Amino acid sequence: MKDFGKDFVWGCATAAFQIEGAAHENGKGASVWDMMCRIPGKVKNGDNGEVACDHFHRYKEDIGMMKEMGIPAYRFSVSWPRVIPTGVGQVSEAGLDFYDRLVDELIGANITPYVTLFHWDFPYDLFIRGGWLNPDSSKWFADYTQVVVDRIGDRVKHWMTHNEPQCFLGIGHRMGKHAPGLELDWPEFLLATHNALLAHGRSVQVLRNKLGKSAEIGWAVVGNGTIPSVETPVAIEAARSAMFEVKEKSFWPISWYLDPVVFGKYPEDGLKVFEKDMPNFDPDDLKIISQDIDYIGLNIYNSDTVSPTEDGGWVKDKPIVGLPLTKFNCPVTPEALYWSPKFIYERYNKPIIISENGCSCHDWVSMDGKVHDPSRIDFLHRYLNNYKRASLEGVDTKAYFQWSLMDNFEWSEGYCERFGLIHVDFQTGKRTLKDSAYWYRDVIANNGADI
Ligand code: IFM
């Protein structure tokens, strides 16, 4: 039976704020998420990241569990305010030491580190200086990148700059639901977005200068896309257009983020939509933004289904009555893992990494001491089936990272959504491998041949 190919990489993913805890250890600075957690009503149950999974202290145990599961690669993020407490200037050697130890422990366990530089915990001190609206913000990020790569770049070869720009910019700076909780008008939002894109580009430059071609560099965007309602050429083209079109003011369209990064220009239709809202910027910015990257990371959870219309357009289908939903109320749409990677690969011609995929379920420790999560197994199986189809049909699929290694802090949902392969008892910190962890171990062991 066919597997995913000999160089395919299997892994799990997490993010610093969601698991580390140790919020004040060694003078760690605050992030916008620490601020958000203190604003009543912003996070369910008033939960916060003070302790989270206490991974900062228990990382050896966590890596031991990864070893037990046979996980070959681990995607984690570095906390910017842990390594530079005020975001710029004084570096915390103790903060950097943690990532040093983490990387060493991973390599010792034969697990390849994939480092994300920014998974949303923006330094609070820089936020009060204007955050991504500050014209210096991209340089701050470049300086931070330098500090991190100087310390762990000798051992880390796989890098991602930002995680999900649509979310930290859109949900954080337009909807106000995520940190920093802003509801900017479009001109300010587009300026923040432009600066964050520039930060990505400068960060790639720093990584490349330091590591050259030995490094594999990319970033991770929300890759939820569109599924054609039927597999006819017309319906497929309708779904493709729907995936990339910017037809109204919205922060979701993937082309708004990927076109500048890969093609060095904003999409024409989006420029028409945003027109006078666009910031003035130096045209050379786009050269910086479009540094050559080695892959595109896609975080895919679900997709809309669309149908073609008679006039050559498309329309979103109404959700099917009774469509399966995850605990988080997200639709279960496994074909998302076929169509999104395919459409993205065909448009941008870059290797694909699934940098996140998974679901939250109603998990608890049963009377037998185990955690039975058949719906997560079924979810992952169906999605991987589709990813395999993409791979077998020629999409350059490099890797798959399940979200998430362990239950963790799910942003404005607090600890209410459990995405992990490892169950975490948030009262005691006790970890328990779920049934899905053992299932994933077997998938990895035969490189997905049974999928
Ligand atoms: O937990 C998040 C992660 O931080 C970013 N992508 C989606 C996940 C699940 O909601």
Side-chain angles (χ1 to χ4, degrees):
M1 270 205 280
K2 288 229 162 70
D3 61 21
F4 276 76
K6 74 173 173 34
D7 297 324
F8 190 79
V9 176
W10 296 93
C12 280
T14 63
F17 192 85
Q18 296 181 267
I19 64 165
E20 282 180 5
H24 310 285
E25 199 110 352
N26 303 315
K28 177 188 171 296
S31 76
V32 290
W33 269 100
D34 292 297
M35 170 189 84
M36 197 70 171
C37 292
R38 288 189 193 154
I39 303 174
K42 288 291 187 188
V43 177
K44 250 186 205 167
N45 302 325
D47 290 344
N48 58 50
E50 299 280 310
V51 178
C53 307
D54 202 21
H55 173 74
F56 183 86
H57 296 113
R58 303 178 75 139
Y59 69 97
K60 287 192 180 174
E61 179 185 354
D62 294 333
I63 293 172
M65 295 186 98
M66 282 187 234
K67 229 178 140 180
E68 200 179 333
M69 290 160 61
I71 291 180
Y74 176 48
R75 175 179 177 231
F76 64 92
S77 77
V78 173
S79 159
W80 184 349
R82 189 180 295 289
V83 302
I84 312 179
T86 52
V88 283
Q90 189 66 47
V91 169
S92 163
E93 292 303 324
L96 279 171
D97 285 348
F98 169 66
Y99 297 105
D100 235 355
R101 294 194 298 274
L102 180 64
V103 167
D104 281 346
E105 190 76 17
L106 286 166
I107 292 172
N110 227 350
I111 299 171
T112 306
Y114 279 64
V115 168
T116 305
L117 286 160
F118 182 62
H119 197 128
W120 307 358
D121 43 356
F122 193 86
Y124 174 75
D125 283 66
L126 295 183
F127 166 63
I128 54 178
R129 290 171 62 182
W132 292 116
L133 287 164
N134 188 307
D136 289 334
S137 54
S138 62
K139 295 200 181 105
W140 298 336
F141 191 62
D143 291 347
Y144 155 64
T145 304
Q146 191 74 60
V147 167
V148 178
V149 73
D150 282 349
R151 180 59 90 91
I152 57 175
D154 55 339
R155 285 149 291 154
V156 175
K157 298 295 166 214
H158 304 274
W159 296 84
M160 298 190 200
T161 58
H162 297 320
N163 184 71
E164 295 183 357
Q166 294 98 321
C167 295
F168 73 82
L169 292 160
I171 308 179
H173 290 74
R174 228 351 263 151
M175 282 171 72
K177 210 174 154 231
H178 278 186
L182 301 182
E183 295 179 45
L184 299 177
D185 280 342
W186 285 110
E188 287 75 31
F189 170 78
L190 294 169
L191 176 61
T193 299
H194 185 77
N195 287 337
L197 289 173
L198 199 52
H200 156 84
R202 289 194 198 285
S203 176
V204 177
Q205 285 179 324
V206 169
L207 294 167
R208 202 63 88 191
N209 282 343
K210 177 82 184 181
L211 303 174
K213 268 295 176 191
S214 75
E216 291 200 350
I217 307 168
W219 70 332
V221 295
V222 174
N224 295 349
T226 49
I227 299 170
S229 52
V230 283
E231 288 197 22
T232 60
V234 175
I236 292 169
E237 283 323 301
R240 191 195 306 275
S241 310
M243 175 143 187
F244 297 110
E245 219 170 76
V246 188
K247 71 170 181 183
E248 59 189 16
K249 290 184 184 180
S250 159
F251 56 78
W252 286 115
I254 199 164
S255 55
W256 194 251
Y257 306 88
L258 283 180
D259 279 21
V261 161
V262 182
F263 301 146
K265 54 182 190 176
Y266 285 104
E268 288 298 328
D269 55 356
L271 288 174
K272 278 195 198 119
V273 166
F274 288 120
E275 229 194 327
K276 294 194 188 68
D277 296 332
M278 282 301 285
N280 287 322
F281 57 82
D282 184 339
D284 279 349
D285 284 1
L286 285 163
K287 289 196 189 122
I288 299 173
I289 291 171
S290 58
Q291 298 302 301
D292 193 26
I293 53 171
D294 300 296
Y295 57 81
I296 295 172
L298 297 175
N299 295 358
I300 300 178
Y301 290 86
N302 51 71
S303 287
D304 293 323
T305 300
V306 303
S307 294
T309 52
E310 302 237 310
D311 61 356
W314 56 270
V315 63
K316 230 192 251 184
D317 287 5
K318 268 177 58 184
I320 293 168
V321 176
L323 186 75
L325 299 173
T326 69
K327 147 85 174 59
F328 208 169
N329 274 332
C330 298
V332 179
T333 57
E335 296 82 6
L337 231 59
Y338 170 71
W339 290 104
S340 274
K342 179 179 163 67
F343 286 154
I344 296 283
Y345 182 63
E346 286 171 354
R347 181 176 174 100
Y348 297 108
N349 196 22
K350 292 278 175 199
I352 301 294
I353 283 183
I354 298 301
S355 31
E356 289 183 22
N357 172 241
C359 64
S360 69
C361 300
H362 287 279
D363 302 327
W364 63 85
V365 181
S366 293
M367 288 168 74
D368 60 4
K370 298 182 178 164
V371 181
H372 304 295
D373 56 344
S375 44
R376 178 171 292 103
I377 294 173
D378 190 69
F379 179 103
L380 296 175
H381 197 152
R382 288 173 192 266
Y383 276 70
L384 279 169
N385 243 312
N386 280 276
Y387 192 38
K388 190 172 184 180
R389 176 179 171 202
S391 167
L392 294 179
E393 288 181 15
V395 175
D396 189 358
T397 52
K398 291 260 178 260
Y400 173 86
F401 288 87
Q402 187 274 345
W403 184 271
S404 177
L405 174 68
M406 59 183 114
D407 295 339
N408 59 48
F409 176 81
E410 180 54 31
W411 309 113
S412 45
E413 303 302 312
Y415 294 95
C416 295
E417 300 296 334
R418 293 181 176 274
F419 276 87
L421 296 177
I422 299 173
H423 179 275
V424 178
D425 178 332
F426 292 111
Q427 311 313 311
T428 63
K430 185 173 186 302
R431 276 90 161 123
T432 308
L433 290 173
K434 301 181 189 175
D435 288 354
S436 56
Y438 296 106
W439 176 84
Y440 193 45
R441 177 194 61 190
D442 296 345
V443 170
I444 294 170
N446 70 10
N447 199 14
D450 291 342
I451 290 289

